[in-house]
Amino acid sequence: QVQLVESGGGLVQPGGSLRLSCAAPGFTLDEYTIGWFRQAPGKEREGISCISHYTTPSYRDSVQGRFTISRDNDKNTVYLQMNNLKPEDTAVYYCAARRFGFCTWTSSVFTTWGQGTQVTVSP
């Protein structure tokens, strides 16, 4: 069964850093386009970063320059390094996978999702 497992969330002060991990027991992540999405309370889910074999990694403007997405094929894991975190980054973060597809912020085209990991940025 294809599944994704996120980890690495937590509570951090503004200006701090976290690294989220997206692991894929049972399938090879390198064959997929992987997106990171987040959903804050009362807001819609939004795509914030994406990595594929077709283009350079993508970032939403609000995280550009602060977040970095990367793959470690040996560990079959995709990471989201988040630096200079702000209170408005507080949300549940999800990774999602789609096969043979370009990066997009359209969540409905991603076929496999993780359970999410909470990130809270607060003094």
Side-chain angles (χ1 to χ4, degrees):
Q1 181 178 357
V2 173
Q3 62 176 345
L4 297 172
V5 180
E6 301 102 334
S7 61
L11 173 64
V12 64
Q13 292 184 342
S17 298
L18 286 173
R19 188 178 75 162
L20 305 183
S21 299
C22 175
F27 71 101
T28 303
L29 265 184
D30 190 43
E31 299 175 357
Y32 291 76
T33 290
I34 304 298
W36 281 99
F37 293 77
R38 68 186 181 186
Q39 187 165 19
K43 295 186 177 181
E44 293 187 354
R45 187 173 298 185
E46 65 173 0
I48 57 169
S49 187
C50 185
I51 189 167
S52 75
H53 291 298
Y54 306 101
T55 63
T56 55
S58 303
Y59 300 95
R60 186 171 289 272
D61 287 347
S62 58
V63 306
Q64 179 76 47
R66 301 187 297 123
F67 291 10
T68 304
I69 192 170
S70 63
R71 290 184 195 265
D72 185 333
N73 292 332
D74 289 340
K75 296 183 179 179
N76 200 34
T77 301
V78 171
Y79 299 100
L80 184 68
Q81 177 67 43
M82 306 187 297
N83 297 328
N84 190 22
L85 284 161
K86 304 176 181 180
E88 52 264 41
D89 295 318
T90 295
V92 178
Y93 284 69
Y94 302 88
C95 63
R98 66 179 303 212
R99 201 165 187 186
F100 307 132
F102 288 89
C103 279
T104 174
W105 298 145
T106 304
S107 60
S108 59
V109 303
F110 288 83
T111 56
T112 304
W113 291 78
Q115 81 289 352
T117 185
Q118 177 71 46
V119 171
T120 303
V121 185
S122 179

